[in-house]
Structures are given as structure tokens and as C-alpha cells.
Amino acid sequence: LAEAELRFLAETSAVLGASLSYAATLQQVAALMVPRLADLCTVELVDPEGGITPVAVVHSNPTKQIWVQTLRQQYPPQFDTPNGIGYVLQTGRSAFYPRIAEEQLLAVVPDATYRRLLQQIGFKSVLIVPLQVRDQILGTLTLARTETDQPYREAELHLAEEVAKRAALAVDNARLYEEAQQAERQLRRMNETLEQRVQARTSELERRNRDLDQFAYI
């Protein structure tokens, strides 16, 4: 099992290091999780405006994947919730639900459409881990079992946390690279603007010299 986990982490690291496009990379990582560790894997990132944006959704059942995407679009995660993704984003600690009773889950959801989507998806065991770099929480990685009754164990939680650490580093590196590229483009634009101003000033000085020469001639 330990060797299998190490191989899985090596494969995940190779995917994370293959591209600086973190959205596409996270989608590939989610695809690696299904069905090895989960029937469903989602990745959410905190956007610059403070919202929570789903960037990857993969389910072993294509129909249920559509339901999960609908759930995320109609009922996006909120920061102020005392459990689930909101809890992980607030505290930086993993949320671990080895067994989920459908009755308890539906009892806290007042919206009929929300309840119907939850019933269709059928969450049975869930773990949510933070994507965290240098005390900054970038988002969350959610794993869920919906097709089997096998509960998650502590070992799988630790493995998911390790994957999340590596994914967070990849996202952070991609964002730093993007910021560097933006700074370079901005510097290039500033240089171009400066050159244009110098050329305009040089042309103005040349025109004034010609005017002075004409005045002196007269």
C-alpha cells in the first residue's frame, strides 16, 4: 500500500509539474483521483474577488457529473458555513465525514431542488482538504464516494492532504509565473510609452530648432 501511494504521488507530481496552466492541471489531477480514491473529485479555488470558483469536477458517472456541476453552479460553496468547504476555508483544517446518513444530510437543507440533487448524487463518504501555501488557503480538494458504501479511512485522508499540498504549490507557482509575465508586459508597455514620449519630445525640439534657425535667418 505504501509503495502504491508513493507511485500515485509521483504520478500526481509529474502531472502537476507538466504545465503552468493550473486550471487544466487541476482537472487532470481530479481525473487521477477518480476512480482510484473517489467516485467524485472537485477542486475549488478562492478567486481575487473573494468568491469560491469550481475549477475541476470529475465523476465516474457522467450523468452524476452533470448533477454535481449543476449543484455547484446553483448552490456555490459559501465561506460562512460551519461545515464542508466553508469550514475548511475558514480554519485551514480538513473536514472528514467517513459515513454520511442521507436523512441527516437532507434535514439541514431547506431547498427542495438542493435536496433532490443531493439524493441523485448520493454522498456516502466525503473528505475535504485545504490547498494551502505559506498560511494562505488557496482553495479545497473534495473527494467523495457515491457508488459504494466503503467509508474513507485516516490513511486516505493523509494521502489526499499530501496531494493537496503539492497541488497548492503548483497553483502558487503558476500564479507567480503569471504575475511575473504580467509585470513584464506592463514594463514593456511602460518602455514603449517612454520611447514614444522621447520621440515626441525630440521631434518637438527639432521643430523648435528649425523655428529658431528661421528666426535667426530673418
Side-chain angles (χ1 to χ4, degrees):
L1 287 175
E3 290 177 357
E5 288 181 2
L6 288 174
R7 286 195 300 270
F8 179 70
L9 287 174
E11 187 176 354
T12 303
S13 298
V15 170
L16 290 170
S19 171
L20 286 171
S21 173
Y22 63 82
T25 300
L26 291 175
Q27 183 70 24
Q28 290 180 310
V29 169
L32 281 177
M33 296 289 186
V34 177
R36 295 189 186 182
L37 289 179
D39 300 312
L40 166 67
C41 178
T42 69
V43 182
E44 295 79 21
L45 293 181
V46 179
D47 58 46
E49 289 73 29
I52 304 172
T53 304
V55 294
V57 176
V58 177
H59 198 293
S60 58
N61 184 327
T63 302
K64 287 192 175 184
Q65 178 164 330
I66 295 174
W67 291 339
V68 174
Q69 290 170 334
T70 302
L71 181 69
R72 285 288 189 261
Q73 291 169 0
Q74 296 185 3
Y75 304 94
Q78 303 296 324
F79 277 98
D80 56 357
T81 54
N83 46 44
I85 291 174
Y87 166 82
V88 175
L89 291 174
Q90 290 177 58
T91 63
R93 294 194 292 269
S94 299
F96 185 32
Y97 310 102
R99 292 187 183 276
I100 297 178
E102 183 177 317
E103 298 79 13
Q104 295 176 346
L105 181 63
L106 298 180
V108 298
V109 180
D111 188 282
T113 304
Y114 199 166
R115 286 200 300 270
R116 186 175 67 253
L117 285 170
L118 290 176
Q119 286 177 313
Q120 289 172 329
I121 297 167
F123 293 98
K124 297 177 181 178
S125 185
V126 176
L127 56 87
I128 308 169
V129 296
L131 302 178
Q132 188 169 357
V133 176
R134 300 185 303 275
D135 298 328
Q136 180 184 7
I137 302 175
L138 306 180
T140 57
L141 171 71
T142 301
L143 300 179
R145 286 187 171 137
T146 63
E147 311 303 296
T148 65
D149 293 324
Q150 182 181 357
Y152 278 114
R153 301 166 300 170
E154 291 284 344
E156 292 162 318
L157 173 63
H158 297 325
L159 179 58
E161 288 174 337
E162 185 61 35
V163 171
K165 288 178 184 178
R166 301 181 185 208
L169 285 172
V171 171
D172 190 49
N173 289 338
R175 286 181 172 177
L176 289 174
Y177 176 77
E178 185 176 343
E179 290 173 3
Q181 292 293 98
Q182 290 177 349
E184 184 179 350
R185 288 193 294 269
Q186 185 177 4
L187 181 60
R188 191 179 299 115
R189 286 194 297 268
M190 290 175 62
N191 287 335
E192 291 173 355
T193 301
L194 182 60
E195 289 177 3
Q196 291 172 357
R197 289 181 178 178
V198 170
Q199 291 175 357
R201 185 62 174 167
T202 301
S203 299
E204 177 66 16
L205 288 173
E206 290 175 350
R207 186 188 64 77
R208 290 188 180 185
N209 285 335
R210 287 194 299 270
D211 290 345
L212 287 173
D213 289 342
Q214 182 68 16
F215 177 75
Y217 174 77
I218 294 173

